Amino acid sequence: MRALGEEMEPQRPRQRAGLGLASQGGCSQMPWISNLVEWIDPQTFFFHFENLVYAYGRNRTYLCYQVKRKEHCSPVFPDKGVFHNKVYLNTPYHAELCFLSWFNKRLSPDECYHVTWFVSWSPCVACAKQVAKFLEKNRNVRLSIFAARLYYFWQPAFQQGLCKLHGVGAQVGIMSYQDFKYCWENFVYNQRMPFKPWEKLCENSKFLVTKLEEILRNTMSLLKEDIFNKQFSNQPRVTAPYYRRKTYLCYQLKGPDGSILAQGCLRNKKQRHAEIRFIDKIKFMNLDPNQSYEIICYVTWSPCPTCAEKLVDLINDQVHLKLQIFASRLYFHWVRKYQIGLQYLWASQVTVAVMNRREFKDCWEKFVDNQGKEFQGWDKLEEYNRSISRRLHRILMQPLKQNNLEDSFRDLRLGSPSPSSRSDSR
């Protein structure tokens, strides 16, 4: 079996520009698409619903749905059917959007609906966003999604799509043996033959459940694009229209096997710096001291002396942690005690560096609601990066013995200078 990201990838169509009008303005602008598939033949079911971790040639998504509704508090017999990807006027539509087009015409504000999907692939990024918008608009609809396979589950954008669905209240799960059996009995032309599971059905299901739990455990609020561009910009001065540059901290915690255990975005809140809130979160996790962990942090401002000291205390208390800090800008870099704070981090085996284009791109892809757009950067990004990197290098390379460093740092208890007159306060 090939490693993640190699050729053996799911091959569902990825024509994001070809998802139709829904990607531009919601399902209300989609053409009406009727449900033309009532049953699936057994061969198609076994091929498209087999829950392989990596799958060849599954270029079509099948969606088996059940709609339960209550009309004036009285149960109504459920609707059932099957959708798959369709092409309408030379424009392809994924199965999820076909269902929304059909279902949107049947919605009544006076009824409550519970919709269940059994899908061969979990939703792509664009479909997840459209479904989330639909659920936010129609609060009388509850949606449960059970997927046979996870689509590009190792890519952050697709993980964020699943988290977005989870965040608006959709139930997102993996199909179990009972779910496959139910689909076989209710959506497949089975000629009254019993369902016969394929090899490793339960084993693969358990693996996918674990992966999905990891993804949903990391549900977080993504930064808006304009906030990222304003707050993470490494320009030395804010240009008109003026705004205050604050501290944002984006972090990702990885386990010994490289799996993502937690990630999120924090900012200063109620006079508590983002770094202190980050430290509290890590301590609350009660990480296994017998395992090794890596944490990468992207921050808009480098830590103040107090935060630097607290971060060093965290590393000293939990020696199994490896911490990397990448800062977009240096905070009060000309003030000696701020320089000592950075030196203290560096001397304590904490990686302290300046964000370059690679780190900005990584932050953009993992922590920003980027709508699928590539990171473009801003004018003179590399030039500012080189200037800030040289400044940090001079600070870290200043000769200062370890004992003198610790003695000097014990005297730094005065806190940050007042930022009230500065637009670039933390």
Tab-separated table of all heavy atoms in Angstrom, residues 231 236 245-248 275 299-304 325-332 422-426:
chain	number	residue	atom	x	y	z
A	231	GLN	N	-3.452	41.101	10.163
A	231	GLN	CA	-2.750	40.828	11.414
A	231	GLN	C	-1.428	40.092	11.206
A	231	GLN	O	-0.490	40.285	11.977
A	231	GLN	CB	-3.664	40.023	12.354
A	231	GLN	CG	-4.943	40.741	12.743
A	231	GLN	CD	-4.674	42.017	13.536
A	231	GLN	OE1	-3.636	42.184	14.171
A	231	GLN	NE2	-5.630	42.942	13.483
A	236	PRO	N	6.480	46.725	8.156
A	236	PRO	CA	6.945	47.438	9.362
A	236	PRO	C	5.950	48.461	9.889
A	236	PRO	O	5.937	48.752	11.081
A	236	PRO	CB	8.240	48.113	8.898
A	236	PRO	CG	8.117	48.210	7.410
A	236	PRO	CD	7.330	47.009	6.985
A	245	ARG	N	-2.747	46.357	15.245
A	245	ARG	CA	-2.263	44.998	15.024
A	245	ARG	C	-2.173	44.283	16.377
A	245	ARG	O	-1.440	44.716	17.264
A	245	ARG	CB	-0.924	45.000	14.299
A	245	ARG	CG	-1.037	45.563	12.898
A	245	ARG	CD	0.117	45.172	12.018
A	245	ARG	NE	1.324	45.913	12.314
A	245	ARG	CZ	2.406	45.910	11.521
A	245	ARG	NH1	2.400	45.221	10.402
A	245	ARG	NH2	3.474	46.606	11.849
A	246	LYS	N	-2.903	43.184	16.497
A	246	LYS	CA	-3.006	42.470	17.759
A	246	LYS	C	-2.298	41.122	17.666
A	246	LYS	O	-1.823	40.722	16.605
A	246	LYS	CB	-4.479	42.287	18.127
A	246	LYS	CG	-5.233	43.609	18.241
A	246	LYS	CD	-6.700	43.387	18.546
A	246	LYS	CE	-7.434	44.730	18.628
A	246	LYS	NZ	-8.881	44.552	18.917
A	247	THR	N	-2.250	40.426	18.797
A	247	THR	CA	-1.586	39.128	18.818
A	247	THR	C	-2.575	38.019	18.498
A	247	THR	O	-3.596	37.873	19.173
A	247	THR	CB	-0.953	38.852	20.194
A	247	THR	OG1	0.022	39.858	20.470
A	247	THR	CG2	-0.275	37.490	20.211
A	248	TYR	N	-2.256	37.256	17.469
A	248	TYR	CA	-2.968	36.026	17.135
A	248	TYR	C	-1.960	34.890	17.179
A	248	TYR	O	-0.819	35.035	16.691
A	248	TYR	CB	-3.600	36.098	15.743
A	248	TYR	CG	-4.864	36.914	15.689
A	248	TYR	CD1	-4.811	38.302	15.613
A	248	TYR	CD2	-6.118	36.304	15.703
A	248	TYR	CE1	-5.971	39.064	15.562
A	248	TYR	CE2	-7.281	37.049	15.642
A	248	TYR	CZ	-7.203	38.432	15.573
A	248	TYR	OH	-8.349	39.179	15.530
A	275	GLU	N	-0.419	33.650	24.300
A	275	GLU	CA	0.541	32.618	24.699
A	275	GLU	C	0.133	31.955	26.012
A	275	GLU	O	0.284	30.736	26.182
A	275	GLU	CB	1.939	33.219	24.845
A	275	GLU	CG	2.542	33.728	23.533
A	275	GLU	CD	2.244	35.199	23.280
A	275	GLU	OE1	1.233	35.708	23.820
A	275	GLU	OE2	3.017	35.834	22.561
A	299	VAL	N	2.714	33.122	15.240
A	299	VAL	CA	2.230	34.267	16.010
A	299	VAL	C	2.457	35.553	15.225
A	299	VAL	O	3.441	35.690	14.482
A	299	VAL	CB	2.910	34.368	17.396
A	299	VAL	CG1	2.463	33.244	18.302
A	299	VAL	CG2	4.429	34.377	17.259
A	300	THR	N	1.544	36.504	15.407
A	300	THR	CA	1.686	37.789	14.729
A	300	THR	C	2.797	38.622	15.367
A	300	THR	O	3.522	39.328	14.674
A	300	THR	CB	0.366	38.566	14.781
A	300	THR	OG1	-0.074	38.645	16.142
A	300	THR	CG2	-0.703	37.868	13.962
A	301	TRP	N	2.916	38.556	16.702
A	301	TRP	CA	3.976	39.259	17.434
A	301	TRP	C	4.803	38.237	18.214
A	301	TRP	O	4.261	37.287	18.774
A	301	TRP	CB	3.394	40.258	18.429
A	301	TRP	CG	2.791	41.499	17.858
A	301	TRP	CD1	1.474	41.855	17.858
A	301	TRP	CD2	3.490	42.573	17.215
A	301	TRP	NE1	1.300	43.064	17.266
A	301	TRP	CE2	2.525	43.544	16.856
A	301	TRP	CE3	4.824	42.813	16.905
A	301	TRP	CZ2	2.852	44.727	16.207
A	301	TRP	CZ3	5.156	43.984	16.261
A	301	TRP	CH2	4.190	44.920	15.918
A	302	SER	N	6.112	38.456	18.287
A	302	SER	CA	6.949	37.609	19.130
A	302	SER	C	6.546	37.789	20.595
A	302	SER	O	5.996	38.827	20.978
A	302	SER	CB	8.427	37.950	18.929
A	302	SER	OG	8.678	39.308	19.261
A	303	PRO	N	6.793	36.780	21.450
A	303	PRO	CA	6.321	36.841	22.842
A	303	PRO	C	6.961	37.980	23.638
A	303	PRO	O	8.128	38.337	23.433
A	303	PRO	CB	6.743	35.478	23.409
A	303	PRO	CG	6.893	34.588	22.225
A	303	PRO	CD	7.399	35.472	21.122
A	304	CYS	N	6.188	38.525	24.579
A	304	CYS	CA	6.715	39.495	25.532
A	304	CYS	C	7.560	38.749	26.562
A	304	CYS	O	7.548	37.516	26.619
A	304	CYS	CB	5.575	40.260	26.199
A	304	CYS	SG	4.621	39.275	27.379
A	325	ILE	N	8.399	28.220	17.461
A	325	ILE	CA	7.639	29.472	17.386
A	325	ILE	C	8.116	30.260	16.171
A	325	ILE	O	9.306	30.570	16.047
A	325	ILE	CB	7.820	30.317	18.659
A	325	ILE	CG1	7.318	29.552	19.885
A	325	ILE	CG2	7.087	31.651	18.534
A	325	ILE	CD1	7.577	30.272	21.201
A	326	PHE	N	7.176	30.565	15.284
A	326	PHE	CA	7.462	31.396	14.113
A	326	PHE	C	6.656	32.685	14.241
A	326	PHE	O	5.425	32.647	14.317
A	326	PHE	CB	7.090	30.668	12.818
A	326	PHE	CG	7.942	29.466	12.526
A	326	PHE	CD1	7.578	28.207	13.003
A	326	PHE	CD2	9.108	29.585	11.789
A	326	PHE	CE1	8.351	27.101	12.744
A	326	PHE	CE2	9.897	28.476	11.518
A	326	PHE	CZ	9.514	27.232	12.007
A	327	ALA	N	7.349	33.805	14.271
A	327	ALA	CA	6.699	35.102	14.448
A	327	ALA	C	6.706	35.892	13.154
A	327	ALA	O	7.708	35.897	12.421
A	327	ALA	CB	7.389	35.904	15.550
A	328	SER	N	5.604	36.564	12.885
A	328	SER	CA	5.550	37.433	11.714
A	328	SER	C	6.368	38.698	11.944
A	328	SER	O	7.069	39.167	11.054
A	328	SER	CB	4.091	37.800	11.402
A	328	SER	OG	4.034	38.740	10.356
A	329	ARG	N	6.280	39.234	13.177
A	329	ARG	CA	7.002	40.475	13.510
A	329	ARG	C	7.605	40.355	14.904
A	329	ARG	O	7.154	39.537	15.712
A	329	ARG	CB	6.037	41.678	13.481
A	329	ARG	CG	5.325	41.871	12.153
A	329	ARG	CD	4.337	43.032	12.236
A	329	ARG	NE	3.320	42.824	13.247
A	329	ARG	CZ	2.177	42.180	13.042
A	329	ARG	NH1	1.911	41.665	11.844
A	329	ARG	NH2	1.288	42.025	14.016
A	330	LEU	N	8.612	41.170	15.192
A	330	LEU	CA	9.254	41.190	16.505
A	330	LEU	C	8.664	42.328	17.324
A	330	LEU	O	8.604	43.473	16.875
A	330	LEU	CB	10.770	41.369	16.372
A	330	LEU	CG	11.505	40.286	15.582
A	330	LEU	CD1	12.993	40.581	15.543
A	330	LEU	CD2	11.243	38.898	16.174
A	331	TYR	N	8.267	41.994	18.562
A	331	TYR	CA	7.581	42.948	19.424
A	331	TYR	C	8.600	43.687	20.298
A	331	TYR	O	9.327	43.063	21.074
A	331	TYR	CB	6.569	42.192	20.282
A	331	TYR	CG	5.642	43.059	21.089
A	331	TYR	CD1	4.908	44.081	20.498
A	331	TYR	CD2	5.478	42.836	22.450
A	331	TYR	CE1	4.042	44.857	21.237
A	331	TYR	CE2	4.608	43.601	23.204
A	331	TYR	CZ	3.894	44.616	22.590
A	331	TYR	OH	3.031	45.386	23.330
A	332	PHE	N	8.666	45.024	20.172
A	332	PHE	CA	9.603	45.872	20.938
A	332	PHE	C	11.027	45.296	20.879
A	332	PHE	O	11.699	45.153	21.894
A	332	PHE	CB	9.145	46.004	22.393
A	332	PHE	CG	7.991	46.949	22.577
A	332	PHE	CD1	6.692	46.476	22.651
A	332	PHE	CD2	8.208	48.318	22.663
A	332	PHE	CE1	5.637	47.334	22.815
A	332	PHE	CE2	7.148	49.189	22.825
A	332	PHE	CZ	5.847	48.706	22.899
A	422	ARG	N	0.264	53.289	20.912
A	422	ARG	CA	0.780	52.625	19.711
A	422	ARG	C	-0.343	51.904	18.987
A	422	ARG	O	-1.202	51.286	19.597
A	422	ARG	CB	1.843	51.591	20.081
A	422	ARG	CG	3.105	52.199	20.652
A	422	ARG	CD	4.068	51.059	21.084
A	422	ARG	NE	4.238	50.083	20.025
A	422	ARG	CZ	5.102	50.199	19.045
A	422	ARG	NH1	5.844	51.268	18.934
A	422	ARG	NH2	5.210	49.248	18.139
A	423	SER	N	-0.308	51.962	17.656
A	423	SER	CA	-1.266	51.179	16.876
A	423	SER	C	-0.877	49.723	16.817
A	423	SER	O	-1.688	48.863	16.519
A	423	SER	CB	-1.378	51.737	15.447
A	423	SER	OG	-0.142	51.605	14.784
A	424	ASP	N	0.414	49.425	17.099
A	424	ASP	CA	0.897	48.047	17.045
A	424	ASP	C	0.999	47.445	18.440
A	424	ASP	O	2.020	46.899	18.830
A	424	ASP	CB	2.267	48.000	16.351
A	424	ASP	CG	2.147	48.126	14.869
A	424	ASP	OD1	1.010	48.081	14.374
A	424	ASP	OD2	3.172	48.296	14.201
A	425	SER	N	-0.054	47.547	19.234
A	425	SER	CA	-0.050	46.939	20.564
A	425	SER	C	-0.452	45.493	20.463
A	425	SER	O	-1.110	45.073	19.538
A	425	SER	CB	-1.037	47.690	21.479
A	425	SER	OG	-2.360	47.445	21.058
A	426	ARG	N	-0.046	44.705	21.467
A	426	ARG	CA	-0.449	43.313	21.535
A	426	ARG	C	-1.876	43.207	22.016
A	426	ARG	O	-2.516	42.211	21.835
A	426	ARG	CB	0.482	42.545	22.475
A	426	ARG	CG	1.858	42.297	21.887
A	426	ARG	CD	2.778	41.667	22.919
A	426	ARG	NE	2.212	40.424	23.397
A	426	ARG	CZ	2.471	39.231	22.883
A	426	ARG	NH1	3.235	39.128	21.830
A	426	ARG	NH2	1.953	38.134	23.395
